[in-house]
């Protein structure tokens, strides 16, 4: 699994900078700014143990599914959804962290 570390806090604006870290190699996988109402993804990186896969909101919200209007391999997308470790939503994109095989 991965873990989160609060790197900085700005109490006057109620924002925290949080790093998502690999538990095996201690590599930074993401940097996220959280506020009381939302969050913003600043950095997304892969390591030798985990990788991020980017989906559109519409696709991610449809999973699991039987057919894809975009023509992607539905079986593969459904398999990714079963292996999810962490999900980050950023605007119209969803970043899904899964273990490397």
């Amino acid at each position: 699994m991965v873990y989160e570390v609060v790197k900085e806090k700005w109490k006057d604006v109620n924002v925290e900078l949080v790093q998502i870290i690999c538990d095996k190699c201690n590599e930074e996988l993401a940097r996220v700014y959280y506020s009381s109402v939302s969050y913003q993804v600043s950095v997304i990186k892969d390591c030798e143990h985990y990788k991020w896969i980017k989906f559109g909101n519409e696709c991610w919200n449809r999973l699991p599914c039987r057919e894809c209007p975009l023509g992607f391999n539905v079986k593969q997308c459904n398999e990714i959804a079963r292996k999810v470790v962490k999900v980050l939503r950023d605007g119209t994109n969803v970043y899904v962290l899964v273990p490397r095989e």
Side-chain angles (χ1 to χ4, degrees):
M1 294 303 291
V2 298
Y3 61 95
E4 295 184 3
V5 175
V6 176
K7 286 301 276 184
E8 296 180 40
K9 268 187 175 184
W10 297 279
K11 291 186 184 212
D12 55 331
V13 289
N14 200 22
V15 173
E16 288 182 347
L17 168 59
V18 175
Q19 287 181 305
I20 299 172
I21 307 288
C22 174
D23 61 333
K24 296 175 178 81
C25 65
N26 289 323
E27 287 289 320
E28 178 186 60
L29 298 169
R31 199 174 301 157
V32 185
Y33 290 92
Y34 287 95
S35 75
S36 58
V37 292
S38 67
Y39 64 89
Q40 179 183 1
V41 178
S42 171
V43 173
I44 292 283
K45 293 187 222 175
D46 296 342
C47 73
E48 62 183 270
H49 305 101
Y50 297 97
K51 65 180 178 179
W52 291 98
I53 299 173
K54 182 177 163 185
F55 284 88
N57 269 332
E58 205 173 299
C59 288
W60 182 250
N61 292 336
R62 190 180 290 130
L63 289 175
C65 60
R66 289 188 208 131
E67 60 183 51
C68 177
L70 301 174
F72 291 115
N73 182 342
V74 173
K75 189 176 180 180
Q76 184 179 13
C77 291
N78 290 337
E79 185 64 26
I80 289 167
R82 282 192 285 278
K83 295 178 180 177
V84 170
V85 174
K86 183 84 176 162
V87 175
L88 293 175
R89 294 179 181 273
D90 189 34
T92 60
N93 298 315
V94 177
Y95 296 95
V96 179
L97 186 65
V98 294
R100 289 191 183 269
E101 295 179 8

